[in-house]
Amino acid sequence: MGIFSKLFKSKKKDVELGEKKKVNTNQKPVSENTNSNKFEYTGGLGFSIGLNNEGNINLTSLPVGVSTGSTEKDFYVYEWFIKETGEIFYVGKGRGNRFIEFHQRAYEAEKIRKMYETDNHFVATGLTESEAIELESKEISRILNETNDRLTNRHIPLFTKRGNGYDRSPSTPKIQFETAPVLYASEIEEHYFGIQHRAFDEVQNENLKAVAFITRSMRDEISIIYGGNLEKYKDEVTNTLKANGNKVLKSKFAKSVTAWIYIGDDYVINYDIDQEKALIELGGQIPTYHLIDVWKHLKNKFGELASVSKEEPVINAIHNRVPLKDIKNLNNWEKGFDKGFPYYEEGDKERKSGNIIGAIELFDKARFNGYNAPALYSSYAKAYRKSEDYDNEIAILDEAIERLKSEVGNNETRIMEFNERRTKAIALKCK
């Protein structure tokens, strides 16, 4: 719901005041005869939004196809299906021989064509491109709403009853607090290819000598696993390992790596690819654990885990940044982006050219005008690190972490990265 609140937070108020405020260049009147307060928004979200003067919202999914601008009337919509079961696994639009050509980007669909005896049929022919795009979307929606067929189309219309099968398979165990998840198969992989989820390896103490953390696929679900306090678990594991002479490596393919520790979860197929690469580069497969299992193992072995020291040096950041409450467009991300991004872009060019003072001044302007993105705070931190101003680096990272924690969405990876950079800045300051 976060995106809807961002879109509509101020718009209903505008309607009540009888104002005709422009959302962006994609906003357009619904018709000449409707109330002037009504508008339709079609900007980059996969759906159009209609809002009338009573504040009623109408959401309509936009077509999934991409137009080439052709005016010909020889387009068609086709489907690929498995002969034995009749199950449709791909819907597409095209012209000429598109329906029988190899689809480079439809990896799963091509894999099905290779493994099964398949055929194709046309939904309709003799269409304009716009008609084909619209029919393609309607047919995808029909299949996902009215059948149990698993489509491999990457892009599907919004508001369908089912997704397109690329998330965890239905048989995958649910995410639980302080419980290691599994390496999972998608619904498509399980249904068509028989791939099953698999558990992480059982932790062996001798394999913790030199570990690498895997941060891929860290989504909202990890907040359930760690109760919203990932930092505590990761820091306790990291500090306990180091306190007992073990190493934490930066690369999972380092020559000395003895185990991988996943923080989130991932597809089984990605795990298999990594293990194949490890076999080639390192000469063997790598024991693969989950952070929660390692945390429990260390807790059983040592009782109390080494926590992060709360004693920190005094941070004395001298700067000219305005307080957060005084930032323009604080609650309007789109306007903040439009007004602030150009300053950030120019500032990052100055930073890379070595003009650190000029870069920071431009970053301050970007921030003041409402630009709020991890890239801005990352560039801020790099600029302060370059000038050895660790106090300001720590202060700006604290602000970044605070803002990320207050936002809806999956920000755990960024928060973890900023915390790691903050720890390094404190260490440099203490030197």
Side-chain angles (χ1 to χ4, degrees):
M1 291 300 292
I3 191 168
F4 293 110
S5 62
K6 287 181 180 180
L7 283 170
F8 301 129
K9 188 170 185 179
S10 63
K11 293 184 179 62
K12 186 173 180 180
K13 181 178 178 181
D14 293 345
V15 168
E16 291 169 348
L17 293 173
E19 297 176 358
K20 291 177 62 179
K21 291 191 176 180
K22 187 177 181 183
V23 179
N24 66 14
T25 55
N26 290 314
Q27 180 180 312
K28 58 187 180 183
V30 174
S31 73
E32 294 294 331
N33 298 320
T34 55
N35 187 293
S36 61
N37 289 325
K38 297 182 181 180
F39 66 80
E40 183 180 6
Y41 175 86
T42 59
L45 299 172
F47 56 88
S48 64
I49 306 166
L51 179 66
N52 63 23
N53 61 314
E54 285 83 25
N56 296 321
I57 299 167
N58 297 316
L59 302 178
T60 305
S61 178
L62 296 177
V64 298
V66 178
S67 175
T68 65
S70 173
T71 59
E72 299 297 327
K73 296 183 179 180
D74 59 350
F75 284 86
Y76 51 75
V77 173
Y78 63 98
E79 294 174 339
W80 288 343
F81 65 92
I82 297 173
K83 281 187 176 182
E84 183 179 356
T85 63
E87 183 167 9
I88 299 168
F89 61 90
Y90 186 82
V91 179
K93 68 124 176 134
R95 59 196 301 210
N97 292 326
R98 177 62 176 168
F99 73 102
I100 56 174
E101 290 176 348
F102 179 83
H103 288 20
Q104 185 68 39
R105 297 181 181 179
Y107 171 80
E108 289 82 2
E110 289 295 350
K111 189 174 177 181
I112 292 171
R113 292 176 79 189
K114 186 175 181 179
M115 291 181 63
Y116 294 86
E117 187 176 358
T118 66
D119 204 346
N120 58 75
H121 63 251
F122 295 103
V123 180
T125 60
L127 306 173
T128 65
E129 186 173 34
S130 61
E131 288 172 340
I133 289 174
E134 183 176 358
L135 180 58
E136 177 190 31
S137 296
K138 287 182 178 179
E139 183 64 4
I140 290 173
S141 294
R142 183 194 68 79
I143 292 169
L144 293 176
N145 289 337
E146 300 177 12
T147 78
N148 291 320
D149 294 356
R150 280 80 166 179
L151 291 180
T152 59
N153 292 76
R154 285 285 178 180
H155 302 290
I156 63 172
L158 294 175
F159 315 123
T160 55
K161 293 180 181 178
R162 293 189 292 124
N164 55 351
Y166 287 97
D167 206 348
R168 296 172 178 83
S169 65
S171 66
T172 303
K174 291 183 177 180
I175 302 294
Q176 300 180 60
F177 174 63
E178 286 191 356
T179 302
V182 297
L183 294 159
Y184 62 91
S186 70
E187 183 176 357
I188 287 172
E189 291 170 334
E190 183 176 271
H191 178 72
Y192 288 115
F193 313 131
I195 299 174
Q196 299 290 318
H197 65 262
R198 58 155 293 170
F200 287 91
D201 297 332
E202 184 178 347
V203 180
Q204 302 294 325
N205 195 65
E206 60 270 21
N207 292 330
L208 297 178
K209 294 178 181 178
V211 304
F213 288 106
I214 308 297
T215 58
R216 185 174 57 203
S217 195
M218 288 173 52
R219 298 165 302 190
D220 288 345
E221 289 85 355
I222 68 169
S223 64
I224 298 174
I225 298 171
Y226 303 104
N229 195 7
L230 167 62
E231 298 167 36
K232 167 185 176 295
Y233 295 87
K234 184 173 182 295
D235 288 344
E236 287 184 351
V237 167
T238 300
N239 293 334
T240 302
L241 288 174
K242 289 181 176 179
N244 287 277
N246 301 312
K247 296 179 180 180
V248 176
L249 307 173
K250 291 185 177 181
S251 172
K252 62 184 175 184
F253 294 112
K255 296 295 183 183
S256 58
V257 69
T258 56
W260 293 337
I261 301 178
Y262 276 68
I263 293 176
D265 57 7
D266 203 1
Y267 287 108
V268 170
I269 193 169
N270 286 340
Y271 163 82
D272 289 339
I273 291 171
D274 283 345
Q275 290 289 8
E276 287 177 10
K277 185 176 180 181
L279 189 61
I280 294 171
E281 295 191 9
L282 305 177
Q285 294 193 321
I286 308 300
T288 304
Y289 308 138
H290 193 272
L291 179 61
I292 283 293
D293 286 340
V294 176
W295 179 79
K296 289 179 178 179
H297 171 83
L298 295 175
K299 200 172 181 64
N300 289 333
K301 184 176 178 63
F302 298 108
E304 290 296 322
L305 300 185
S307 59
V308 181
S309 173
K310 299 299 181 182
E311 294 183 10
E312 292 188 353
V314 176
I315 308 301
N316 183 27
I318 300 173
H319 57 79
N320 294 318
R321 296 189 297 276
V322 301
L324 273 177
K325 64 181 180 62
D326 295 331
I327 286 178
K328 292 182 178 180
N329 310 310
L330 188 61
N331 298 313
N332 189 331
W333 190 91
E334 288 183 2
K335 190 173 181 180
F337 180 92
D338 291 341
K339 298 293 184 181
F341 178 76
Y343 290 113
Y344 160 73
E345 191 174 36
E346 186 62 31
D348 216 37
K349 290 179 182 177
E350 293 298 313
R351 178 185 67 81
K352 291 174 181 177
S353 70
N355 181 12
I356 302 302
I357 294 176
I360 292 173
E361 289 177 352
L362 287 163
F363 294 156
D364 287 345
K365 290 180 180 179
R367 174 180 173 274
F368 174 65
N369 280 280
Y371 181 55
N372 176 26
L376 171 64
Y377 286 99
S378 179
S379 292
Y380 254 131
K382 290 175 182 177
Y384 286 127
R385 176 75 61 88
K386 184 70 174 179
S387 59
E388 298 184 357
D389 185 351
Y390 304 121
D391 291 88
N392 263 308
E393 181 182 3
I394 295 165
I396 203 66
L397 288 170
D398 285 341
E399 179 178 300
I401 293 167
E402 177 187 350
R403 297 186 79 173
L404 285 169
K405 285 182 176 179
S406 68
E407 294 174 356
V408 175
N410 179 25
N411 297 317
E412 294 287 356
T413 302
R414 277 294 189 179
I415 291 171
M416 186 178 69
E417 291 172 355
F418 284 153
N419 270 316
E420 290 176 350
R421 186 175 187 94
R422 185 183 187 279
T423 299
K424 179 64 175 177
I426 289 175
L428 291 170
K429 174 180 169 61
C430 290
K431 285 185 178 180

